[in-house]
Amino acid sequence: MTKLLSACLAAFFVTGCASSVKLNDVPVEDRQATAVAPGSGGADGTAAGQVPGRGVEGVALDNAGAAAEAEKKRLAASISPVVYFDYDSFAVKSQFQKAIEAYAGQLKGDARRRVQVEGHTDELGGREYNVALGQKRADAVRKALVDAGALASQIETVSYGKEKPAASGSDEESRSRNRRAVINY
């Protein structure tokens, strides 16, 4: 019975696809409107701002909003999603405020967008201590994002402690690169 039903569905699907419209057979008509300066009538006698042959008023587009949004995206793309911390600290430094504001702007612009903030530590200290410190770092970045305008529901936090180092080594430079929170879309 299931084989018969499957065969019928397959035949129906193939028949439906065979009768679909081919894109090459569809006539294409160019319907680009010509720009009409505000306050002037069109060459074909249409009123100012009206699209010829449509009887519909044109809409003046404000490119300032689009330009501002493009600038926010460019800024967010150029700013690192990593916030670094001092030894044994979860205070967000002021030097990372611009990055946080850029990411918060991205989140404010799209309420459906979500991020995860990962908290990390260097290898010093015990496992439990580092997991707790990593969580405090992730929570501090989350709070900074919310303070900059993002919704708390858009941000999830997780701590990896010392489990996912960005740099291997036991020198101060490696350790400082591991004391971080990472913002992931």
Side-chain angles (χ1 to χ4, degrees):
M1 183 66 160
T2 58
K3 288 182 181 180
L4 178 63
L5 183 58
S6 297
C8 289
L9 284 174
F12 177 73
F13 179 73
V14 170
T15 305
C17 290
S19 65
S20 65
V21 176
K22 303 289 186 230
L23 290 178
N24 294 338
D25 298 339
V26 178
V28 177
E29 182 180 334
D30 186 13
R31 294 186 176 189
Q32 292 180 350
T34 57
V36 178
S40 66
D44 60 352
T46 56
Q50 205 172 36
V51 178
R54 299 282 182 207
V56 177
E57 278 295 315
V59 177
L61 297 176
D62 178 18
N63 287 337
E69 189 60 34
E71 178 62 16
K72 279 184 190 176
K73 287 182 181 180
R74 186 197 63 74
L75 183 63
S78 68
I79 294 179
S80 172
V82 181
V83 177
Y84 291 99
F85 294 88
D86 289 333
Y87 173 75
D88 200 29
S89 172
F90 57 92
V92 177
K93 298 178 191 177
S94 61
Q95 71 191 59
F96 297 105
Q97 191 59 38
K98 193 175 221 176
I100 287 172
E101 288 172 359
Y103 283 98
Q106 290 274 318
L107 292 170
K108 270 192 329 192
D110 185 359
R112 296 171 297 167
R113 183 170 267 189
R114 303 279 185 262
V115 295
Q116 181 182 59
V117 181
E118 299 175 351
H120 299 273
T121 65
D122 58 27
E123 82 279 2
L124 301 176
R127 183 183 183 287
E128 294 82 16
Y129 176 81
N130 283 332
V131 169
L133 181 58
Q135 188 64 46
K136 288 180 181 180
R137 288 176 175 170
D139 289 341
V141 171
R142 179 179 192 258
K143 182 182 181 322
L145 286 166
V146 170
D147 289 348
L151 297 174
S153 61
Q154 294 177 286
I155 307 162
E156 177 185 323
T157 60
V158 64
S159 175
Y160 289 109
K162 60 183 176 180
E163 300 303 318
K164 292 187 173 186
S168 59
S170 295
D171 59 328
E172 183 52 34
E173 183 180 339
S174 298
R175 289 179 179 147
S176 66
R177 289 184 50 212
N178 290 329
R179 297 180 204 125
R180 70 197 191 283
V182 181
I183 302 169
N184 291 316
Y185 281 102

